Amino acid sequence: MKMTVGAVLDRVTTDLERSGISGARNEAEVLLSHLLGLRRTDLYSGTEKAVSVSQAAQLDKMVASRCTGRPLQYITGVQRFRRLSLKVGPGVLVPRPETEMLVERCLELLEGVQDPAVLDLGTGSGAIALSLATERPDCRVWATEISEDALWWAEANLKNSGLSNVELGYGDLFSPLPSSEKGNFDLIVSNPPYLSQEELSRAPVEVRDHEPEMALLSGDKGLATCIRIIREAFIWLKPGGHLVIETAGTSQYEDLRIFLARRYEGVQITNDLTGKPRFVEGRRP
Ligand SMILES: C[S@@+](CC[C@H](N)C(=O)[O-])C[C@H]1O[C@@H](n2cnc3c(N)ncnc32)[C@H](O)[C@@H]1O
């Protein structure tokens, strides 16, 4: 029997729904359009087109994998982030929509700064660093990462981007940087790990069982890395330079505000689009 795009889309949607995946139709469209190499809208102008037996078998494998909780983006291997199409897979965090807002805030803070020097700590796929380097081509960006696996993805994305204004460093926070960079940065940004073990245990299966712990967990209250960044960033910033950190969007910001206010000026908390207090920032006097 001939399988059509429309029928396959309906079947996959039902399979995903039965596995409790919210947004099942949306995900079915992503999987099928990825498999067929089509834009999602093109699926609907060709609902009567045939899907071959081998394509249907490949799709079944993708759906079975998704039903185990594997993140959709690990299956398709890509995640859109602002202007970029980033390669992602096991070993690296899938960049989130709220982090696109973090980049937006960085761009605002860099307005009027010529040829800015920027540092992205814990770059993962390179989402923040590569976006800033793309959207502010006069920027010089350093990005560091402690996980070899994650760095592999950042390197692949950097290569793919063709950008020449990004330098990647392997190691703990600031340790890959030459000390000549001290006091040089106009902006330091990070989306660090910020969950406690207890918060991680309540996270969706895609996160809990598939994304790297190193990208997620950070001490008892999830604050350990944030606090280290606040302490250590100071000497790497220029006077007047900004530090911006993404947080869990919980009451964490209350502690972070206190830590920031000890040394930084202009301490500010910004909500994400869902109204959660997500970004904390301060300026080196
Ligand atoms: C929440 S993920 C963010 C990844 C990416 N910046 C993004 O927004 O999609 C945190 C990243 O920080 C890295 N990381 C954790 N601790 C680190 C450390 N001490 N030094 C450098 N990178 C670290 C993790 O491996 C992970 O890639």
Side-chain angles (χ1 to χ4, degrees):
M1 198 183 79
K2 181 181 152 192
M3 283 173 288
T4 64
V5 164
V8 169
L9 203 49
D10 288 342
R11 181 171 56 77
V12 170
T13 305
T14 308
D15 289 348
L16 293 172
E17 268 167 2
R18 284 198 184 124
S19 289
I21 287 167
S22 61
R25 183 71 178 189
N26 182 43
E27 294 209 5
E29 289 173 4
V30 171
L31 290 173
L32 190 55
S33 58
H34 175 76
L35 178 79
L36 301 178
L38 295 173
R39 285 179 307 180
R40 280 167 69 180
T41 45
D42 293 339
L43 293 175
Y44 289 95
S45 53
T47 48
E48 290 310 314
K49 278 193 190 144
V51 175
S52 72
V53 173
S54 77
Q55 284 170 329
Q58 276 182 65
L59 188 63
D60 284 344
K61 274 196 196 155
M62 291 159 85
V63 172
S65 172
R66 180 67 190 102
C67 290
T68 66
R70 193 174 171 86
L72 181 70
Q73 297 86 345
Y74 281 6
I75 297 168
T76 60
V78 287
Q79 170 68 352
R80 295 284 320 167
F81 186 87
R82 294 183 68 89
R83 296 186 194 167
L84 307 171
S85 184
L86 296 167
K87 293 174 195 272
V88 291
V92 74
L93 186 101
V94 177
R96 307 291 204 266
E98 51 270 28
T99 308
E100 296 187 310
M101 246 188 106
L102 176 67
V103 173
E104 197 64 44
R105 181 65 190 141
C106 292
L107 291 169
E108 281 169 14
L109 291 169
L110 292 176
E111 269 170 29
V113 184
Q114 277 186 351
D115 305 329
V118 173
L119 169 62
D120 172 25
L121 298 164
T123 198
S125 62
I128 299 169
L130 301 183
S131 289
L132 289 171
T134 303
E135 296 184 47
R136 274 296 301 261
D138 62 331
C139 227
R140 185 173 64 83
V141 184
W142 260 101
T144 70
E145 173 54 59
I146 203 169
S147 150
E148 271 185 77
D149 289 342
L151 195 65
W152 185 88
W153 291 103
E155 276 164 355
N157 285 317
L158 175 58
K159 194 163 170 221
N160 204 27
S161 72
L163 288 163
S164 56
N165 52 343
V166 180
E167 185 97 33
L168 295 173
Y170 169 54
D172 181 30
L173 296 184
F174 301 87
S175 65
L177 301 170
S179 60
S180 56
E181 293 286 3
K182 277 188 185 151
N184 266 357
F185 290 103
D186 296 283
L187 176 80
I188 298 180
V189 56
S190 184
N191 174 21
Y194 49 57
L195 297 182
S196 65
Q197 189 71 57
E198 201 270 321
E199 285 165 328
L200 182 60
S201 69
R202 285 188 277 114
V205 62
E206 287 84 352
V207 180
R208 201 177 61 226
D209 292 352
H210 295 272
E211 292 193 289
E213 274 196 1
M214 211 184 271
L216 301 164
L217 279 180
S218 190
D220 278 355
K221 292 163 81 182
L223 286 173
T225 311
C226 287
I227 289 172
R228 277 191 59 207
I229 291 173
I230 291 172
R231 285 205 181 113
E232 295 175 35
F234 198 84
I235 55 162
W236 296 90
L237 283 168
K238 269 183 194 158
H242 288 88
L243 171 65
V244 195
I245 305 176
E246 182 170 327
T247 72
T250 61
S251 59
Q252 270 188 350
Y253 77 91
E254 291 166 5
D255 286 342
L256 294 174
R257 191 208 299 268
I258 294 168
F259 274 102
L260 271 165
R262 286 185 189 156
R263 296 194 81 182
Y264 296 78
E265 295 177 334
V267 173
Q268 194 172 308
I269 316 296
T270 313
N271 289 354
D272 64 19
L273 291 174
T274 67
K276 292 184 178 155
R278 182 69 69 178
F279 311 108
V280 299
E281 66 179 67
R283 189 175 59 244
R284 177 176 170 174

